[in-house]
């Protein structure tokens, strides 16, 4: 990540943002420009040799260099380096295959990718992404909150230097990204939002797409956003006021705010877990008729806030939870006692996030408030009754590269060794756990201290809070935070 000092001249900065050269041009002289060499060149090749503006290349490049902004080409490492006054960060665009940013009316601190019918393993451009996000409006303006149902299209590939334009696929040609939105009014901030898609009842009907939003008020609102998604691709269709209303409201948490929420990947109709700041976890099941039933007897065991919930990707009745008591617990949803089967102290600080590997079902990743994230082999975890011994399990991998709280962690949907991590240092990092250290190898990368070789990529995004891999576009990531949305794909994954 390169650093560049900001110029004091605002007009010049604006010109740079608009893609103009940072050069001083006399407008009068520019308007009367004549090619003084036009009679001296007989061939087209010779004219090209004189440069693009009629001057020798050496002269033009020297002037551009004199007026160009000063750019530090060094690598900026969050937590190790600090920006000086007036400096800003600029990404190395050669490391991205796709990079787009989009604004939101209010910060959205949680988002999710909506599966679509455009096909799997998509590698052509421009790309299209369907997604949802929940806003966090300013205090006193709660009624401006909304759930945003979005279609992002015309997401073009980065232009690479040296590519032959004639050889490029016409579908890859650069164009401005398009953001289409449908808003569902909300009266409270959304702390976490997740999507579940039930299978199609008939081939003529689209799959039912549901969102569950855990709100600041303690209520969990479930919406059917199928008609909202349909309007993007069916001209003339509209949303009725009734379709903006929740199909179910979970009130079991009463006034207790919550952050933890997860749909089961193994229950097609829909089964939802929700957790709150009082340590209660409730299970809600969607019936065959489309209604929702919440078991009012909670799962309890955390001494404080339930920060995260994750269903097992391989066992229908098993789920994991994390809390601000520093523990991760494994539960059997059939348990009549509503107590955890396994409880392990994994951190001295809050455990904020979890991700269960869909490729290797015994691996669970965790992220904590102290900036450490770790990977655990659940085969080493024993039932709570046998943890009286001093045999405390250790992570099979742990990293403290980030120096601020971990706000998101997610395994790649198809690559068993790739993990993305979001942190409070304004970065999203990509990791490859398949990279192993030999005895002779350094724990540093490229001679830079404390940068482990498993670190593939660092993406800078102000106030980034959450990110997800796109399940149908290999390597593509959607992220959200205080600065809006980002959709990107690196050359690393």
């Amino acid at each position: 990540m390169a650093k560049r000092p900001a110029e004091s001249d605002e007009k010049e900065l604006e010109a740079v943002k608009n893609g103009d050269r940072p050069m001083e041009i006399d407008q009068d002289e520019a308007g009367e420009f004549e090619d003084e060499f036009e009679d001296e060149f007989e061939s087209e090749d010779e004219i090209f040799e004189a440069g693009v503006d009629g001057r020798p290349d050496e002269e033009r490049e020297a002037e551009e260099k004199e007026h160009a902004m000063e750019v530090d080409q060094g690598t900026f490492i969050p937590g190790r380096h600090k920006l000086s006054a007036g400096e800003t960060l600029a990404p190395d665009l050669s490391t991205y295959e796709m990079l787009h940013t989009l604004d939101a009316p209010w910060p959205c601190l949680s988002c999710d990718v909506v599966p679509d019918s455009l096909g799997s393993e998509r590698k052509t451009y421009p790309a299209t992404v369907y997604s949802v996000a929940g806003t966090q409006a300013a205090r006193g303006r709660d009624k401006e909150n909304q759930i945003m149902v979005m279609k992002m299209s015309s997401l073009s590939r980065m232009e690479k230097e040296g590519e032959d334009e004639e050889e490029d696929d016409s579908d890859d040609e650069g164009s401005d990204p398009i953001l289409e939105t449908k808003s569902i009014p909300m009266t409270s901030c959304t702390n976490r939002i997740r999507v579940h898609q039930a299978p199609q009842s008939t081939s003529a009907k689209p799959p039912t797409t549901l969102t569950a939003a855990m709100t600041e008020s303690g209520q969990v609102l479930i919406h059917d956003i199928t008609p909202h998604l349909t309007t993007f691709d069916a001209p003339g269709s509209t949303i009725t006021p009734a379709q903006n209303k929740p199909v179910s409201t979970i009130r079991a948490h009463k006034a207790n705010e919550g952050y933890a929420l997860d749909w089961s990947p193994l229950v097609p109709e829909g089964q939802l877990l929700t957790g709150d700041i009082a340590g209660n976890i409730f299970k809600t099941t969607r019936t065959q008729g489309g209604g929702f039933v919440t078991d009012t007897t909670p799962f309890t065991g955390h001494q404080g806030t339930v920060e995260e919930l994750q269903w097992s990707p391989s066992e229908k009745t098993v789920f994991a939870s994390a809390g601000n008591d520093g523990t991760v617990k494994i539960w059997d949803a059939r348990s009549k006692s509503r107590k955890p089967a396994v409880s392990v102290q994994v951190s001295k600080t809050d455990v904020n996030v979890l991700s269960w590997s869909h490729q290797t079902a015994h691996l669970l990743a965790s992220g904590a408030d102290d900036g450490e994230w770790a990977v655990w082999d659940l085969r080493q975890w024993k039932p709570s009754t046998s943890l009286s011994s001093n045999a405390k399990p250790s992570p099979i991998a742990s990293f403290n590269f980030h120096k601020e709280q971990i706000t998101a962690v997610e395994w790649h949907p198809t690559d068993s060794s790739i993990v993305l991590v979001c942190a409070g240092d304004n970065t999203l990092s990509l990791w490859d756990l398949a990279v192993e250290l030999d005895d002779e190898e350094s724990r540093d990368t490229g001679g830079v201290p404390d940068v482990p070789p498993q670190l593939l990529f660092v993406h800078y995004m102000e106030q980034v809070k959450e990110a997800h891999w796109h399940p149908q576009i290999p390597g593509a990531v959607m992220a959200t935070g205080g600065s809006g949305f980002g959709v990107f794909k690196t050359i690393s994954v």
Side-chain angles (χ1 to χ4, degrees), residues 179-197:
L179 173 61
E180 301 171 74
T181 65
K182 300 295 178 183
S183 297
I184 299 174
M186 298 281 281
T187 58
S188 182
C189 294
T190 297
N191 291 335
R192 185 73 60 88
I193 189 168
R194 291 291 181 265
V195 168
H196 175 73
Q197 202 164 76

Side-chain angles (χ1 to χ4, degrees), residues 23 39 129 139 193 206 211 266 277 310-311 322 328 333 345 376 393 415 426 448 464 489-490:
M23 297 172 59
D39 296 327
V129 174
R139 295 290 180 187
I193 189 168
T211 61
L266 302 178
I277 61 174
Q310 281 271 294
W311 282 102
V328 172
Q345 191 80 32
W376 304 85
D415 193 317
N426 300 321
V448 182
V464 62
K489 174 177 167 55
T490 76

Side-chain angles (χ1 to χ4, degrees), residues 305-322:
T305 301
V306 180
E307 300 280 1
E308 178 72 291
L309 288 163
Q310 281 271 294
W311 282 102
S312 166
S314 60
E315 297 181 78
K316 194 173 182 179
T317 62
V318 176
F319 67 90
S321 65

Side-chain angles (χ1 to χ4, degrees), residues 179-246:
L179 173 61
E180 301 171 74
T181 65
K182 300 295 178 183
S183 297
I184 299 174
M186 298 281 281
T187 58
S188 182
C189 294
T190 297
N191 291 335
R192 185 73 60 88
I193 189 168
R194 291 291 181 265
V195 168
H196 175 73
Q197 202 164 76
Q200 295 173 270
S201 55
T202 66
S203 58
K205 291 185 177 181
T208 299
T209 304
L210 303 170
T211 61
M214 193 83 189
T215 66
E216 201 173 51
S217 67
Q219 294 184 346
V220 182
L221 304 181
I222 300 175
H223 289 87
D224 183 349
I225 63 166
T226 309
H228 302 76
L229 294 169
T230 301
T231 59
F232 292 135
D233 304 306
S237 57
T238 58
I239 303 295
T240 65
Q243 290 172 326
N244 275 334
K245 293 182 178 179

Side-chain angles (χ1 to χ4, degrees), residues 100-173:
H100 296 281
T101 58
L102 304 103
D103 294 328
W106 291 106
C108 296
L109 305 187
S110 183
C111 68
D112 206 3
V113 175
V114 178
D116 57 51
S117 58
L118 301 179
S120 300
E121 298 291 315
R122 304 201 299 266
K123 297 180 181 179
T124 58
Y125 292 91
T128 298
V129 174
Y130 295 85
S131 61
V132 296
T135 64
Q136 292 256 347
R139 295 290 180 187
R141 302 177 69 175
D142 290 343
K143 292 185 178 180
E144 296 183 27
N145 278 298
Q146 57 185 280
I147 289 175
M148 300 175 64
V149 184
M150 296 175 281
K151 178 185 179 181
M152 305 172 185
S153 56
S154 293
L155 301 175
S156 58
R157 186 181 61 170
M158 299 292 294
E159 294 182 3
K160 302 294 183 183
E161 292 185 7
E163 286 186 339
D164 189 340
E165 294 181 2
E166 295 181 359
E167 293 180 1
D168 285 352
D169 192 317
S170 60
D171 289 340
D172 286 358
E173 290 183 0

